[in-house]
Amino acid sequence: MRTPISYLEPTRPSGSTRSLSSTPLEQRLTPDPRRAWSWLQRSWFGRYGVALLFFCFALLLQLELSALMSTSPFLFFYGAVMVAGWWGGWGPALFVTALSLLAVDHQFLPPRLTLQMRSADMLSLGIFCLLAIFITKLNVTLSRALEERAGLLEREHRARAASEAARTRLHTIFMQAPAQIFFLRGASHDFDFTNARNSALLKNKDTLGKPFQDGVVKVGEEDARDVLDRVYATGESFVGNAVPLRILQADGMEKETFHNLVYQPTRDAQGQVDGIAGFGFDVTDLVHARQRAEALATELRQAEFRTRVLAEVSTVLASSLDYEATMRNLAKLVVPALADWCFVDLAQPDGTFRRLEVAHARPEDAATAAEVLNFQLMPEGNPRHPPTAALLRGEAILLEEMTPAHIKRSAHNENHARVMLATGLRSFIAVPLVVRGHTLGVFSFFTSFSNRRYTQADLAFGLELAYRAALSLENARLYREAQEAIRLRDEFLSIASHELKTPLTPLSLKLQALARELERHPDSIPYSVVKNYVDTGARQVKKLAELVGDLLDVSRIAAGRLALELEDVDLGALIREVVVRYEPHAARSGSTLEVEGGESGLIGRWDRLRLEQVVTNLIDNAVKYGAGKPIQLVLEQGPTRARLKVRDQGIGIAPEHLPRLFGRFERAVSERHYGGLGLGLYITRTLVEAMGGRVRVESEQGRGSVFTVDLPRERTLPVDVSAAQPQ
């Protein structure tokens, strides 16, 4: 059975205790016993003294044991001769031989205590002498061989000490190495050696003699024990660079690091695999640094790409003031550069949204795109739908990964879910188009077949893209409004000049006629003639004053300087006063004014002068377009509100003109056939809303119109009228 060994365990040299790290100075200062022995062996006193010492020692032993060894009186003296010959050479050996002959003859051979020898003893002494000489010869030869052997042993001891020192240094290096090092023995992968880093990695400081555990370490997706089994079975090394190594922690969680691994099989004398040497270098920081560098490089490339796309976007947005064409071109630019699909939903004047464009990257998706185009953005729909969520929250939405289940949950209905799934939706970004707090639409783009996943950087880019698109939309809107304002200005100047001339012309003619009458009747002009001229002039001056008043009111409203003075007003009485005053004018047009309701006294907190202006404008409008038919004023009252309806049976209003009827300078008829500046209804709406009310119109072309004013009867807060913009 193979004896287990422990790799790289430091051991103490078995020979000399001399330190190989000693310097020559230290060697000179440290006493060396071998030098004393060498001097003792080379000197005359030392050689003969040691020989004499061993002779005495042998004599004492022989004397003590003579009773037991009477037949062997030369035994210990042989040892003394041998030591003397080995230590001092021929001289001390012969000296001890002679002393031994005398001592044996004197002490141990009969007759004892004399030097007389028998003939039989002489043979024993001669044999002893010959054997002593032979032993001395052997000892001298052996001594020389031992000297040579001592030199060899010294060199061997030094080599062994150097080897042990190197072994110790290697053990220290392995234990302190910045890598995981371990040695496994046998098919069960028992630990023979593990350094500190490997033990720390395994969270186990007592691994020697224990097998490598299953499920503790994973090399990539494979258990480390399986990798070791394969190396042991095949004898082929395992080498891996930046291998993800997952260690099972004590809390059951896995910690992932990256290592360069080498699992090398070890072999016995017969060449059979008997273990595995493992080396691991932690390159987690290097891998993370490389990943960060790659991410940074990717981010730089993407930033460069985004900058180039933004430059192209700016060119597209600045190329035209046709916002619909611009947004369509923008969607086609985003696909396929940034997305596989792109939607553009724009707000309409009536508050709804229209899907302007659906851009897609693959021609085979044309049928699906046509279906997608039919789905309009619905604020009242599923709030989890990304574009709807972006619209309702007023902020950008990023969905890095949308699963089919998520798509179904965010759809408005089953058909919508089917179409969304057909697009292959994966990662989604929806950004509202917001300028100055107004949402102009939603810009959405997402990936499908490319499997790209959007990040926060893509969201920031989407925000910048949407901001530029919204700014372009706002610029286009402002340009349209400026063009419309110029058109209205020119139209207003034309109408205003005509309307201002209308009262001035008859006034001028009447003054000229009056001058001719003065020439014809220098002393006295008939009263009836003068009164007729004065009445006509007064009407024209009043009309001119009303036109100028309307212009002043519009100026005050635009500047926010029109204030209301609230007081208790009887609305019924006020309406009857206006009707009485306006009846002659209505009669000249062939219309009659009829008032219903309001007899019981309908009182509210309003501005009397402005409320009178509202009623006058509505009656004047009804008389102008009433086609000479009766006009009805119906007054209704409730607990908290009052309602006035002005109904005519005139030409009516076309449906397409109704949304803009209360706008500034807006007209539903030609100024050639009907005069006016187009300000009356605008001023009426502004004043009614300033008093907390609401005005609306219902009309059918050719069947007349009904204007309804709803007013609250109580108004406790002070009112300042700000500028009202045209709708």
Side-chain angles (χ1 to χ4, degrees), residues 11 51 55 87 130 148 159 231 236 250 274 297 301 307 322 384 445 473 499 552 568 589 602 636 655:
T11 58
F55 166 75
W87 178 259
L130 291 176
E148 295 178 359
V231 173
E236 297 179 357
D274 62 352
R301 288 194 299 271
T307 302
D322 184 352
R384 288 182 290 189
F445 53 94
L473 286 174
E499 290 296 320
L552 289 175
D568 290 336
S589 299
L602 201 165
E636 302 173 357

Side-chain angles (χ1 to χ4, degrees), residues 372-389:
V372 172
L373 190 61
N374 294 327
F375 287 97
Q376 307 301 324
L377 185 61
M378 296 188 297
E380 70 281 0
N382 190 342
R384 288 182 290 189
H385 183 231
T388 304

Side-chain angles (χ1 to χ4, degrees), residues 382 384-386 402 405-412 416 420:
N382 190 342
R384 288 182 290 189
H385 183 231
M402 289 191 70
H406 189 188
I407 292 173
K408 292 178 181 178
R409 287 195 302 270
S410 63
H412 295 309
H416 187 213
M420 290 176 66

Side-chain angles (χ1 to χ4, degrees), residues 78 161 209 254 341 458 560 602 608 622 638:
Y78 281 121
E254 286 187 353
W341 291 78
D458 296 306
L602 201 165
R608 182 181 185 85

Side-chain angles (χ1 to χ4, degrees), residues 503-504 506-508 510-511 514 530-546 588:
L504 288 175
L507 179 60
S508 176
K510 289 298 181 181
L511 289 175
L514 183 59
V530 174
K531 186 177 184 307
N532 180 43
Y533 290 157
V534 171
D535 290 343
T536 302
R539 286 196 303 271
Q540 302 306 322
V541 170
K542 180 182 178 183
K543 186 174 182 180
L544 184 60
E546 290 176 351
R588 285 194 295 271

Side-chain angles (χ1 to χ4, degrees), residues 458-695:
D458 296 306
L459 180 62
F461 178 75
L463 287 170
E464 177 65 22
L465 197 64
Y467 172 74
R468 298 192 181 197
L471 196 60
S472 176
L473 286 174
E474 180 68 4
N475 291 337
R477 184 187 68 82
L478 293 175
Y479 175 77
R480 292 196 309 274
E481 289 184 356
Q483 292 296 104
E484 182 64 16
I486 293 173
R487 184 191 67 79
L488 291 175
R489 181 201 64 187
D490 294 341
E491 183 178 347
F492 166 73
L493 291 176
S494 174
I495 297 173
S497 62
H498 178 270
E499 290 296 320
L500 290 173
K501 286 180 181 180
T502 299
L504 288 175
T505 299
L507 179 60
S508 176
L509 292 175
K510 289 298 181 181
L511 289 175
Q512 293 175 12
L514 183 59
R516 287 194 297 271
E517 290 293 335
L518 284 173
E519 293 177 358
R520 190 182 307 163
H521 304 88
D523 297 330
S524 176
I525 302 176
Y527 173 78
S528 60
V529 174
V530 174
K531 186 177 184 307
N532 180 43
Y533 290 157
V534 171
D535 290 343
T536 302
R539 286 196 303 271
Q540 302 306 322
V541 170
K542 180 182 178 183
K543 186 174 182 180
L544 184 60
E546 290 176 351
L547 291 173
V548 174
D550 286 346
L551 292 176
L552 289 175
D553 284 344
V554 171
S555 176
R556 293 190 189 99
I557 292 171
R561 293 185 288 105
L562 184 62
L564 300 181
E565 297 180 4
L566 302 181
E567 58 179 301
D568 290 336
V569 178
D570 187 336
L571 182 57
L574 184 145
I575 290 175
R576 285 178 171 79
E577 291 177 7
V578 174
V579 167
V580 170
R581 190 169 59 248
Y582 222 89
E583 277 183 343
H585 176 66
R588 285 194 295 271
S589 299
S591 299
T592 59
L593 300 178
E594 302 173 1
V595 180
E596 299 179 8
E599 293 83 1
S600 60
L602 201 165
I603 299 175
R605 295 284 295 175
W606 302 302
D607 186 311
R608 182 181 185 85
L609 292 178
R610 294 305 179 184
L611 188 56
E612 181 178 342
Q613 187 176 359
V614 168
V615 176
T616 301
N617 286 342
L618 292 177
I619 294 176
D620 183 69
N621 187 77
V623 170
K624 183 183 297 184
Y625 303 109
K629 298 179 180 179
I631 298 171
Q632 295 178 336
L633 284 79
V634 180
L635 191 59
E636 302 173 357
Q637 63 177 326
T640 60
R641 302 187 71 83
R643 173 174 294 175
L644 170 63
K645 292 184 178 181
V646 180
R647 179 182 295 112
D648 66 72
Q649 303 175 37
I651 63 175
I653 305 170
E656 63 270 16
H657 297 312
L658 290 176
R660 59 183 182 85
L661 188 63
F662 292 98
R664 185 168 46 181
F665 307 127
E666 293 290 349
R667 303 167 59 87
V669 294
S670 172
E671 68 273 12
R672 285 189 176 184
H673 302 89
Y674 298 91
L677 298 175
L679 296 175
L681 292 180
Y682 166 70
I683 295 173
T684 297
R685 176 184 64 83
T686 304
L687 294 177
V688 169
E689 290 178 353
M691 288 184 284
R694 180 172 176 266
V695 61

